Amino acid sequence: MSGRQGLAADIGGTNTRLALVENGRVLEETIARYRNRDFGTPEEAIDAYLAGAGHPACRSAVIAIAAPINGKAIRMTNHPWTFDATCIGKVLGGADVTFLNDFEALAYSLDRVAPERLKSVYGSAQAVSIGATRLVVGAGTGFNAAALFQNSGGLHVGTGECGHATLAVETETELQLWKYLARNRGRASIERALSGRGLREIYEWHCLEKGLAPDTLSPAEIAALANSGADQTCEAAARQWVTFLGRVIGDLALVFLSLGGIVLTGGVTRSLARFLSEPEFLNAFCAKGRQQQLVSGIPVHLLDDDFAALSGCAARM
Amino acid sequence: MSGRQGLAADIGGTNTRLALVENGRVLEETIARYRNRDFGTPEEAIDAYLAGAGHPACRSAVIAIAAPINGKAIRMTNHPWTFDATCIGKVLGGADVTFLNDFEALAYSLDRVAPERLKSVYGSAQAVSIGATRLVVGAGTGFNAAALFQNSGGLHVGTGECGHATLAVETETELQLWKYLARNRGRASIERALSGRGLREIYEWHCLEKGLAPDTLSPAEIAALANSGADQTCEAAARQWVTFLGRVIGDLALVFLSLGGIVLTGGVTRSLARFLSEPEFLNAFCAKGRQQQLVSGIPVHLLDDDFAALSGCAARM
């Protein structure tokens, strides 16, 4: 066991991923994934992991969390867990604890992604270019994005809570769906559509529009039925979902001017990968008026690596 | 005349502002503003300015342009001028020429703004706090924003072309207006509403909705009639305009997590300053669902300095 060892953790709204880090690199064989619901607190999950790994001595920990990072005490948006650097440090035997936003960690991982993990969705089949701003965007339990800027001062990540920005609609039909997503909530954010729960609610709305009672399907089941073509309503929901995704990532590409490319991630995005080559997605992505040419030149890739944020944590250790 | 002298220029869609810079500071007495339409090319405008200033020897020039900065040849979005560093360098007797996006320059100016130039619109009456990300947003001929990030590596500005992202609507009435703004264009971007032309078109739409023929009013005339309360349709247009502004800056505050504050700028924003204390603006700004508390804590100021971008150019010289 090395004194240089550290802990990387990526805590999402559903799962926690953990790994040991040595010399700034994730030790692949130590990667583990836990379901949050099996633990009462993040300290319990970390404690269980360390016990399974033979109680390694960790001098530092970098923990990526699906939450705005603002001070030492962090509260997740999509999960009841809270985080305190002192409490987590105690579980780790006094290790220094650093919190990152989970998308900040994903952005820092972009330079470390193995090329075979990036599948071309649109544009150049090359990996995203070096130098220009790159954007990582993901839909899973929630939705967020982060930009990786490169300038003479080095790397800088810009991220926030863009999943909570307003979902933009363009037709009466979309506005009716927006109102369904906004019911009892006052408004519909991007995340109300572009998340697992969002896919489920878009499916429900399509059922209700057809006068059908929605089946009790999980987002994964809706995606599977859409992919196989076995259920037209699931397929319609998937096509609407990728329409919103295309529009939103095109808008974010303009906001951040991410000419270096967009990397898509997140469990729901991956589950609907088939629909990313459909016209609904690409048309919505490129339909940016006078900036259509600018946006059309931006390559889009899908990141096939559920543990990428751990590499980003290691990069910041 | 000092060998350290340089030229700062801020070239918008309507006006060009110029000043000489010495030791990294704008020389206030050298500031001038020209109307773009009085010149065929940016080189002609710069040449006229230098002639008026007695042909100072400039070793460098930093030129802020309302355009995406991507390579050495720049094309404006809202004006036919194009920019080439070599051509402008020749007019300047061989000076080094650097291009910045105009909002990048505004963001770099935030640390140099005189406190009396920042008027509180919402939240803390203090100047925006140091350390946290700050956002500058402006509506004039076009619309854009830039975030000023501060970390251990120094300052970094993140900017793009967010005025071209999709304008988000929330009601049937707003969708009808969106369609009016989108006519013959396929879609309505943020800038289609939040610009001088946007104010004009929002006014037109309100007239048409009432069965009235719109008067041929300029954006400044619409703002004046709205401010005086002399014309109900102009006032309705102004209230709709600040509703969109509040919604959009709340969304951008989430995207960039600009907890350090938002600084509003731009001629149209300033012309409608009275409506920034109206409930339409503040309600739209804060209405962010589960993130309402986060956004409500962000102070908003109005920058009363039409030449601020020149200070940002000087900061980068």
Side-chain angles (χ1 to χ4, degrees), chain B residues 136-204:
Chain B
V136 58
V137 184
T141 312
F143 180 94
N144 208 355
L148 182 68
F149 303 106
Q150 284 185 274
N151 68 7
S152 54
L155 296 175
H156 182 84
V157 172
T159 190
E161 289 288 304
C162 75
H164 298 277
T166 311
L167 177 69
V169 297
E170 299 196 341
T171 64
E172 272 87 3
T173 306
E174 285 186 353
L175 182 60
Q176 293 313 311
L177 169 55
W178 189 95
K179 288 187 169 186
Y180 183 75
L181 298 172
R183 72 199 185 287
N184 306 323
R185 295 163 178 160
R187 71 189 274 270
S189 64
I190 290 169
E191 183 170 299
R192 289 300 183 192
L194 293 177
S195 59
R197 186 168 173 173
L199 177 61
R200 159 85 202 162
E201 296 196 9
I202 292 171
Y203 161 75
E204 284 172 6

Coordinates of all heavy atoms in Angstrom, one line a residue, chain B residues 136-204:
Chain B
V136 N -21.5 39.1 -16.9 CA -22.0 40.3 -17.6 C -22.9 40.0 -18.7 O -22.5 39.1 -19.5 CB -20.7 41.2 -17.9 CG1 -19.8 40.5 -18.9 CG2 -21.2 42.5 -18.5
V137 N -24.0 40.7 -18.8 CA -25.0 40.3 -19.8 C -25.5 41.7 -20.5 O -25.7 42.6 -19.7 CB -26.2 39.7 -19.2 CG1 -27.3 39.3 -20.2 CG2 -25.9 38.5 -18.3
G138 N -25.6 41.7 -21.7 CA -26.0 42.9 -22.4 C -26.9 42.8 -23.6 O -26.8 41.8 -24.3
A139 N -27.8 43.7 -23.7 CA -28.7 43.8 -24.8 C -28.6 45.2 -25.5 O -28.8 46.2 -24.8 CB -30.2 43.5 -24.4
G140 N -28.2 45.2 -26.7 CA -28.1 46.4 -27.5 C -28.5 46.1 -28.9 O -29.7 45.6 -29.1
T141 N -27.6 46.2 -29.9 CA -27.9 45.8 -31.2 C -28.1 44.2 -31.2 O -29.0 43.7 -31.9 CB -26.7 46.1 -32.2 OG1 -26.4 47.5 -32.0 CG2 -27.1 45.9 -33.6
G142 N -27.3 43.5 -30.4 CA -27.5 42.1 -30.2 C -27.5 41.8 -28.8 O -27.6 42.7 -27.9
F143 N -27.4 40.5 -28.4 CA -27.4 40.1 -27.0 C -26.3 39.1 -26.8 O -26.0 38.2 -27.6 CB -28.8 39.4 -26.7 CG -28.9 38.9 -25.3 CD1 -29.5 39.7 -24.3 CD2 -28.4 37.7 -24.9 CE1 -29.6 39.2 -23.0 CE2 -28.4 37.2 -23.6 CZ -29.1 38.0 -22.6
N144 N -25.6 39.3 -25.7 CA -24.6 38.3 -25.3 C -24.3 38.3 -23.8 O -24.8 39.2 -23.1 CB -23.3 38.4 -26.2 CG -22.6 37.1 -26.4 OD1 -22.9 36.1 -25.8 ND2 -21.5 37.1 -27.2
A145 N -23.4 37.4 -23.4 CA -23.0 37.4 -22.0 C -21.6 36.8 -21.9 O -21.2 36.1 -22.9 CB -24.0 36.5 -21.2
A146 N -20.9 37.0 -20.8 CA -19.6 36.4 -20.5 C -19.5 36.2 -19.0 O -20.0 37.0 -18.2 CB -18.5 37.3 -21.1
A147 N -18.9 35.1 -18.7 CA -18.6 34.8 -17.3 C -17.1 35.1 -16.9 O -16.3 34.7 -17.7 CB -19.0 33.4 -17.0
L148 N -16.9 35.7 -15.8 CA -15.5 35.9 -15.3 C -15.3 34.9 -14.2 O -15.8 35.1 -13.1 CB -15.3 37.3 -14.9 CG -13.9 37.7 -14.4 CD1 -12.9 37.7 -15.6 CD2 -13.8 39.1 -13.8
F149 N -14.5 33.9 -14.5 CA -14.2 32.9 -13.4 C -12.9 33.3 -12.8 O -11.9 33.8 -13.4 CB -13.9 31.5 -14.1 CG -15.1 31.0 -14.9 CD1 -15.0 31.0 -16.3 CD2 -16.2 30.5 -14.3 CE1 -16.1 30.5 -17.0 CE2 -17.3 30.0 -15.0 CZ -17.2 30.0 -16.4
Q150 N -12.8 33.1 -11.5 CA -11.5 33.3 -10.8 C -11.1 32.0 -10.1 O -11.9 31.4 -9.3 CB -11.7 34.4 -9.7 CG -11.8 35.8 -10.3 CD -11.9 36.9 -9.3 OE1 -12.9 37.2 -8.8 NE2 -10.7 37.4 -8.9
N151 N -9.9 31.6 -10.3 CA -9.4 30.4 -9.5 C -7.9 30.6 -9.3 O -7.4 31.7 -9.6 CB -9.7 29.1 -10.2 CG -9.0 28.9 -11.5 OD1 -8.1 29.7 -11.9 ND2 -9.3 27.9 -12.2
S152 N -7.3 29.6 -8.8 CA -5.9 29.7 -8.4 C -5.0 30.1 -9.6 O -3.9 30.7 -9.5 CB -5.4 28.4 -7.8 OG -5.7 27.3 -8.6
G153 N -5.4 29.7 -10.8 CA -4.7 30.0 -12.0 C -4.9 31.4 -12.5 O -4.4 31.8 -13.6
G154 N -5.7 32.2 -11.8 CA -6.0 33.6 -12.3 C -7.4 33.7 -12.8 O -8.3 32.9 -12.5
L155 N -7.6 34.7 -13.7 CA -8.9 35.0 -14.3 C -9.1 34.2 -15.5 O -8.1 34.0 -16.3 CB -9.0 36.5 -14.6 CG -8.9 37.5 -13.4 CD1 -8.9 38.9 -14.0 CD2 -10.1 37.2 -12.5
H156 N -10.3 33.8 -15.8 CA -10.6 33.2 -17.1 C -12.0 33.6 -17.5 O -12.9 33.7 -16.7 CB -10.6 31.6 -17.0 CG -10.9 31.1 -18.4 ND1 -9.9 30.9 -19.3 CD2 -12.0 30.7 -18.9 CE1 -10.5 30.4 -20.4 NE2 -11.7 30.3 -20.2
V157 N -12.2 34.0 -18.7 CA -13.5 34.4 -19.2 C -14.0 33.3 -20.1 O -13.4 32.8 -21.0 CB -13.4 35.7 -20.0 CG1 -14.7 36.0 -20.7 CG2 -13.0 36.9 -19.1
G158 N -15.3 33.0 -19.8 CA -16.0 32.0 -20.7 C -17.1 32.8 -21.4 O -17.9 33.5 -20.8
T159 N -17.0 32.8 -22.7 CA -18.1 33.5 -23.5 C -18.4 32.7 -24.8 O -17.6 31.9 -25.2 CB -17.7 34.9 -23.7 OG1 -18.9 35.6 -24.3 CG2 -16.6 35.1 -24.7
G160 N -19.4 33.1 -25.4 CA -19.8 32.4 -26.7 C -20.8 33.3 -27.4 O -20.5 34.5 -27.6
E161 N -21.8 32.7 -27.9 CA -22.8 33.4 -28.7 C -24.2 33.1 -28.1 O -25.1 32.7 -28.8 CB -22.7 33.0 -30.1 CG -21.5 33.5 -30.8 CD -21.6 35.0 -31.1 OE1 -22.5 35.4 -31.8 OE2 -20.7 35.7 -30.7
C162 N -24.4 33.4 -26.8 CA -25.6 32.9 -26.2 C -26.8 33.6 -26.6 O -27.9 33.1 -26.5 CB -25.5 32.9 -24.6 SG -25.6 34.6 -23.9
G163 N -26.7 34.8 -27.3 CA -27.9 35.4 -27.9 C -28.5 34.6 -28.9 O -29.7 34.9 -29.3
H164 N -27.8 33.6 -29.5 CA -28.4 32.8 -30.5 C -29.0 31.5 -30.0 O -29.5 30.7 -30.8 CB -27.3 32.5 -31.6 CG -26.9 33.8 -32.3 ND1 -27.6 34.4 -33.3 CD2 -25.8 34.7 -32.0 CE1 -27.0 35.5 -33.6 NE2 -25.9 35.7 -32.8
A165 N -28.9 31.3 -28.7 CA -29.6 30.1 -28.1 C -31.1 30.4 -28.2 O -31.6 31.5 -28.4 CB -29.2 29.9 -26.7
T166 N -31.9 29.3 -28.0 CA -33.3 29.4 -28.2 C -34.0 30.3 -27.1 O -33.7 30.1 -26.0 CB -33.9 28.0 -28.2 OG1 -33.1 27.2 -29.1 CG2 -35.4 28.0 -28.7
L167 N -34.9 31.2 -27.5 CA -35.7 31.9 -26.6 C -36.7 31.0 -25.9 O -37.5 30.4 -26.6 CB -36.4 33.1 -27.3 CG -37.3 34.0 -26.5 CD1 -36.5 34.8 -25.5 CD2 -38.1 34.9 -27.4
A168 N -36.7 30.9 -24.6 CA -37.6 30.1 -23.9 C -38.9 30.8 -23.6 O -38.9 31.9 -23.0 CB -37.0 29.6 -22.6
V169 N -40.0 30.2 -23.9 CA -41.4 30.7 -23.6 C -42.1 29.8 -22.7 O -41.8 28.6 -22.6 CB -42.2 30.9 -24.9 CG1 -41.6 31.9 -25.8 CG2 -42.5 29.6 -25.6
E170 N -43.1 30.3 -22.0 CA -43.8 29.5 -20.9 C -45.3 29.5 -21.0 O -45.9 28.8 -20.3 CB -43.3 30.0 -19.5 CG -41.8 29.9 -19.3 CD -41.5 30.0 -17.8 OE1 -42.3 30.5 -17.0 OE2 -40.3 29.6 -17.4
T171 N -45.8 30.4 -21.9 CA -47.3 30.4 -22.0 C -47.7 30.5 -23.5 O -46.8 30.7 -24.4 CB -47.8 31.7 -21.4 OG1 -47.3 32.9 -22.2 CG2 -47.4 31.9 -20.0
E172 N -49.0 30.2 -23.8 CA -49.5 30.3 -25.2 C -49.2 31.7 -25.8 O -48.9 31.8 -26.9 CB -51.0 30.0 -25.2 CG -51.3 28.5 -25.3 CD -51.4 27.8 -24.0 OE1 -51.2 28.5 -23.0 OE2 -51.6 26.6 -23.9
T173 N -49.5 32.7 -25.0 CA -49.3 34.1 -25.5 C -47.9 34.3 -25.9 O -47.6 34.8 -27.0 CB -49.7 35.1 -24.4 OG1 -51.0 34.8 -24.0 CG2 -49.7 36.5 -24.9
E174 N -46.9 33.9 -25.0 CA -45.5 34.0 -25.3 C -45.1 33.2 -26.6 O -44.3 33.6 -27.4 CB -44.6 33.6 -24.2 CG -44.6 34.6 -23.0 CD -43.6 34.3 -21.9 OE1 -43.1 33.2 -22.0 OE2 -43.5 35.1 -21.0
L175 N -45.8 32.0 -26.7 CA -45.5 31.2 -27.9 C -45.9 31.9 -29.2 O -45.2 31.9 -30.2 CB -46.1 29.8 -27.8 CG -45.8 28.9 -29.0 CD1 -44.3 28.6 -29.1 CD2 -46.5 27.5 -28.8
Q176 N -47.1 32.6 -29.1 CA -47.6 33.3 -30.3 C -46.6 34.5 -30.6 O -46.2 34.7 -31.8 CB -49.0 33.9 -30.0 CG -50.0 32.8 -29.9 CD -50.0 31.8 -31.0 OE1 -49.9 32.1 -32.2 NE2 -50.0 30.5 -30.6
L177 N -46.1 35.1 -29.6 CA -45.1 36.2 -29.8 C -43.8 35.6 -30.4 O -43.2 36.1 -31.3 CB -44.8 36.9 -28.5 CG -43.6 37.9 -28.4 CD1 -43.7 38.9 -29.5 CD2 -43.5 38.5 -27.1
W178 N -43.4 34.4 -29.8 CA -42.2 33.7 -30.3 C -42.3 33.4 -31.8 O -41.4 33.6 -32.6 CB -42.1 32.4 -29.5 CG -40.8 31.6 -29.7 CD1 -39.7 31.6 -29.0 CD2 -40.5 30.6 -30.8 NE1 -38.8 30.7 -29.4 CE2 -39.3 30.1 -30.5 CE3 -41.3 30.1 -31.8 CZ2 -38.7 29.1 -31.4 CZ3 -40.7 29.1 -32.7 CH2 -39.4 28.6 -32.4
K179 N -43.5 33.0 -32.2 CA -43.8 32.7 -33.7 C -43.7 34.0 -34.5 O -43.2 33.9 -35.7 CB -45.1 32.0 -33.8 CG -45.1 30.6 -33.3 CD -46.4 29.9 -33.6 CE -46.3 28.4 -33.3 NZ -47.5 27.7 -33.8
Y180 N -44.1 35.1 -34.0 CA -44.0 36.3 -34.7 C -42.5 36.7 -34.8 O -42.0 37.0 -35.9 CB -44.7 37.5 -34.0 CG -44.7 38.8 -34.7 CD1 -45.4 39.0 -35.9 CD2 -43.8 39.8 -34.3 CE1 -45.4 40.2 -36.6 CE2 -43.7 41.0 -35.0 CZ -44.5 41.2 -36.1 OH -44.4 42.4 -36.9
L181 N -41.7 36.5 -33.8 CA -40.3 36.8 -33.8 C -39.6 35.8 -34.8 O -38.5 36.1 -35.3 CB -39.7 36.7 -32.4 CG -40.2 37.7 -31.4 CD1 -39.6 37.4 -30.0 CD2 -39.8 39.2 -31.8
A182 N -40.2 34.6 -34.9 CA -39.5 33.5 -35.7 C -40.0 33.6 -37.2 O -39.4 32.8 -38.0 CB -39.9 32.2 -35.1
R183 N -40.9 34.4 -37.5 CA -41.5 34.4 -38.9 C -40.4 34.6 -39.9 O -39.5 35.4 -39.8 CB -42.6 35.5 -39.0 CG -42.0 36.9 -39.1 CD -43.1 37.9 -38.8 NE -42.5 39.3 -38.9 CZ -41.6 39.8 -38.1 NH1 -41.2 39.1 -37.0 NH2 -41.2 41.0 -38.3
N184 N -40.4 33.8 -41.0 CA -39.4 33.8 -42.1 C -38.0 33.4 -41.6 O -37.0 33.6 -42.3 CB -39.3 35.2 -42.7 CG -40.6 35.7 -43.2 OD1 -41.5 34.9 -43.7 ND2 -40.9 37.0 -43.1
R185 N -37.9 32.9 -40.4 CA -36.6 32.7 -39.8 C -36.5 31.2 -39.3 O -35.4 30.8 -38.9 CB -36.2 33.6 -38.7 CG -36.1 35.1 -39.1 CD -36.2 36.0 -37.9 NE -36.1 37.4 -38.3 CZ -36.5 38.4 -37.6 NH1 -37.1 38.2 -36.4 NH2 -36.3 39.6 -38.0
G186 N -37.6 30.6 -39.1 CA -37.5 29.2 -38.6 C -37.6 29.1 -37.1 O -38.2 28.1 -36.6
R187 N -37.0 30.0 -36.4 CA -37.0 30.0 -35.0 C -36.7 31.4 -34.4 O -36.3 32.3 -35.2 CB -35.8 29.0 -34.5 CG -34.5 29.6 -34.7 CD -33.4 28.6 -34.4 NE -33.0 28.6 -33.1 CZ -32.0 29.3 -32.5 NH1 -31.4 30.2 -33.2 NH2 -31.7 29.1 -31.3
A188 N -36.9 31.5 -33.1 CA -36.6 32.8 -32.4 C -35.5 32.5 -31.4 O -35.7 31.8 -30.5 CB -37.8 33.4 -31.8
S189 N -34.4 33.2 -31.6 CA -33.3 33.1 -30.6 C -33.6 34.2 -29.5 O -34.5 35.0 -29.7 CB -32.0 33.4 -31.3 OG -32.0 34.7 -31.8
I190 N -32.8 34.1 -28.5 CA -32.9 35.1 -27.4 C -32.7 36.5 -28.0 O -33.5 37.4 -27.6 CB -31.7 34.8 -26.4 CG1 -32.0 33.5 -25.6 CG2 -31.6 36.0 -25.4 CD1 -30.9 33.0 -24.7
E191 N -31.8 36.7 -28.9 CA -31.5 38.0 -29.5 C -32.7 38.6 -30.3 O -32.8 39.8 -30.5 CB -30.3 37.9 -30.3 CG -29.8 39.1 -31.0 CD -28.4 39.0 -31.6 OE1 -27.4 38.6 -30.9 OE2 -28.3 39.1 -32.8
R192 N -33.5 37.7 -30.8 CA -34.7 38.1 -31.6 C -35.6 38.9 -30.7 O -36.4 39.7 -31.2 CB -35.4 37.0 -32.2 CG -34.7 36.3 -33.4 CD -34.4 37.3 -34.5 NE -33.7 36.6 -35.6 CZ -33.2 37.3 -36.6 NH1 -33.2 38.6 -36.6 NH2 -32.6 36.7 -37.6
A193 N -35.6 38.7 -29.4 CA -36.4 39.5 -28.4 C -35.5 40.5 -27.7 O -35.9 41.7 -27.7 CB -37.0 38.5 -27.4
L194 N -34.4 40.1 -27.2 CA -33.6 40.9 -26.3 C -32.5 41.8 -27.0 O -31.3 41.6 -26.9 CB -33.0 40.1 -25.2 CG -34.0 39.5 -24.2 CD1 -33.3 38.6 -23.2 CD2 -34.8 40.6 -23.6
S195 N -33.0 42.6 -27.9 CA -32.2 43.6 -28.7 C -33.1 44.8 -29.0 O -34.3 44.7 -28.7 CB -31.7 42.9 -29.9 OG -32.8 42.5 -30.7
G196 N -32.5 45.8 -29.6 CA -33.3 46.9 -30.0 C -34.4 46.5 -31.0 O -35.6 46.9 -30.9
R197 N -33.9 45.8 -32.0 CA -34.9 45.3 -33.0 C -35.9 44.4 -32.4 O -37.1 44.4 -32.8 CB -34.1 44.5 -34.1 CG -34.9 44.1 -35.2 CD -34.0 43.6 -36.4 NE -34.8 43.0 -37.4 CZ -34.3 42.7 -38.6 NH1 -33.0 42.8 -38.8 NH2 -35.0 42.1 -39.5
G198 N -35.5 43.6 -31.4 CA -36.5 42.7 -30.7 C -37.5 43.6 -30.0 O -38.7 43.2 -30.0
L199 N -37.1 44.6 -29.3 CA -38.1 45.5 -28.6 C -39.1 46.1 -29.6 O -40.3 46.1 -29.4 CB -37.4 46.6 -27.9 CG -38.3 47.7 -27.2 CD1 -39.1 47.0 -26.1 CD2 -37.4 48.8 -26.6
R200 N -38.6 46.5 -30.8 CA -39.4 47.0 -31.8 C -40.4 45.9 -32.3 O -41.6 46.2 -32.5 CB -38.5 47.4 -33.0 CG -39.1 47.5 -34.4 CD -39.8 48.9 -34.6 NE -40.8 48.7 -35.7 CZ -41.8 49.6 -36.0 NH1 -41.9 50.6 -35.2 NH2 -42.6 49.3 -36.9
E201 N -40.0 44.7 -32.5 CA -40.9 43.6 -33.0 C -41.9 43.2 -31.9 O -43.0 42.8 -32.2 CB -40.0 42.4 -33.5 CG -39.2 42.9 -34.7 CD -38.7 41.7 -35.6 OE1 -39.1 40.5 -35.3 OE2 -37.9 42.0 -36.5
I202 N -41.4 43.2 -30.6 CA -42.4 42.9 -29.5 C -43.5 44.0 -29.5 O -44.7 43.7 -29.4 CB -41.7 42.8 -28.2 CG1 -40.7 41.6 -28.2 CG2 -42.7 42.7 -27.0 CD1 -39.8 41.5 -27.0
Y203 N -43.1 45.2 -29.7 CA -44.1 46.3 -29.8 C -45.0 46.1 -31.0 O -46.3 46.2 -30.8 CB -43.4 47.7 -29.9 CG -44.2 48.8 -30.5 CD1 -45.2 49.4 -29.7 CD2 -44.0 49.2 -31.8 CE1 -45.9 50.4 -30.2 CE2 -44.8 50.2 -32.3 CZ -45.8 50.8 -31.5 OH -46.6 51.8 -32.0
E204 N -44.5 45.8 -32.1 CA -45.3 45.5 -33.3 C -46.3 44.4 -33.1 O -47.5 44.5 -33.4 CB -44.4 45.0 -34.5 CG -43.6 46.1 -35.2 CD -42.6 45.5 -36.2 OE1 -42.7 44.3 -36.4 OE2 -41.8 46.2 -36.7

